[in-house]
Amino acid sequence: MPNRNAIHPILEELGFTTGIEVGVQKGRNALVTLRNWHSCTSYKLVDMWASTTEVYNDTANIGARAQLANYRHAQSQLQHWTKRNVTEFYRMKSVDAAPKFKDGAFDYVYIDARHDYCGVMEDLRAYWPKVRPGGIFAGHDFVDAAWVSSQKWGANQDWSICADGSKEPRAVKGAVEDFAKEQGLAITVTGSAAVLNSSESWLIQKPTRLRF
């Protein structure tokens, strides 16, 4: 798959209907997803849409006024699906929203909220149970902190620092790799250079039967 947009036709082909997106910002990815995933009947949108007092060195951690503007923009972008009762907004921390969703009830969950190792791992553990067997668990930015800092867009960001101030330079990539190893799962990475750092997505399909 060349990029994360290639995921959406797969969701449609498999007849998937339910999903969650964690980390929405202005709703750009959600808009592309829903435009191409016509069979979707329920898509939960989770984002704080608020600045955090915790340590988080990311350009997404903007002030309250800008966060509110992002929230309103997302609502405007997705109003077509909201009117049809497909999209539902949850303006809260991702880990606080997770208990609101039934375990094993979702075909697709996409993680793109915090990008530090600890924050990503929290989201992975909170949302993995929500994916039904055979469903797809995925997320963005399968990269480490050093690669992000080396990019023009990431020069002033430091994804190695967790909210508690501890450091883990492997960031998103390390959290996903460690989680997959714990679960005994294989990871698929989008992009033409999947073995290298890129800002593309990762995917895991939840097994349909237990391994012995």
Side-chain angles (χ1 to χ4, degrees):
M1 290 181 287
N3 53 53
R4 66 178 176 178
N5 293 341
I7 300 171
H8 311 142
I10 295 173
L11 306 178
E12 183 70 14
E13 182 181 344
L14 293 174
F16 285 177
T17 60
T18 56
I20 305 173
E21 184 172 318
V22 182
V24 181
Q25 288 190 313
K26 294 181 179 181
R28 291 170 182 165
N29 182 64
L31 180 62
V32 175
T33 300
L34 291 169
R35 278 178 173 172
N36 292 282
W37 185 13
H38 306 292
S39 60
C40 182
T41 60
S42 176
Y43 200 57
K44 312 298 186 184
L45 300 159
V46 179
D47 197 302
M48 281 178 61
W49 284 292
S51 54
T52 179
T53 56
E54 297 176 333
V55 178
Y56 188 40
N57 191 355
D58 190 295
T59 55
N61 188 23
I62 53 181
R65 181 175 293 182
Q67 292 281 9
L68 180 58
N70 281 353
Y71 178 52
R72 288 175 173 167
H73 187 78
Q75 289 180 309
S76 177
Q77 288 265 69
L78 302 168
Q79 60 181 325
H80 170 73
W81 290 274
T82 303
K83 288 177 181 177
R84 295 168 54 203
N85 296 318
V86 174
T87 50
E88 187 174 2
F89 291 79
Y90 292 79
R91 194 179 180 189
M92 60 185 69
K93 284 186 176 182
S94 54
V95 292
D96 292 337
K100 298 180 179 295
F101 308 128
K102 186 178 178 181
D103 288 355
F106 294 87
D107 297 312
Y108 177 62
V109 175
Y110 191 81
I111 306 293
D112 191 17
R114 287 187 67 113
H115 293 89
D116 58 284
Y117 178 97
C118 306
V120 174
M121 186 62 81
E122 284 182 352
D123 285 340
L124 297 177
R125 289 177 172 155
Y127 284 88
W128 174 247
K130 310 307 170 185
V131 184
R132 68 164 180 80
I136 293 176
F137 196 42
H140 200 216
D141 297 308
F142 188 70
V143 294
D144 58 34
W147 184 85
V148 173
S149 297
S150 72
Q151 306 302 301
K152 277 188 176 181
W153 59 267
N156 297 316
Q157 301 185 88
D158 188 352
W159 291 4
S160 71
I161 305 176
C162 290
D164 61 3
S166 62
K167 299 198 76 171
E168 173 47 82
R170 295 180 300 149
V172 180
K173 188 174 183 181
V176 175
E177 288 176 337
D178 287 354
F179 178 81
K181 186 176 180 180
E182 287 176 6
Q183 301 289 331
L185 302 167
I187 305 168
T188 298
V189 181
T190 66
S192 58
V195 295
L196 303 175
N197 267 317
S198 71
S199 59
E200 283 302 339
S201 293
W202 56 268
L203 298 87
I204 296 171
Q205 186 169 29
K206 195 163 194 176
T208 55
R209 63 182 64 184
L210 295 175
R211 290 184 176 91
F212 295 97

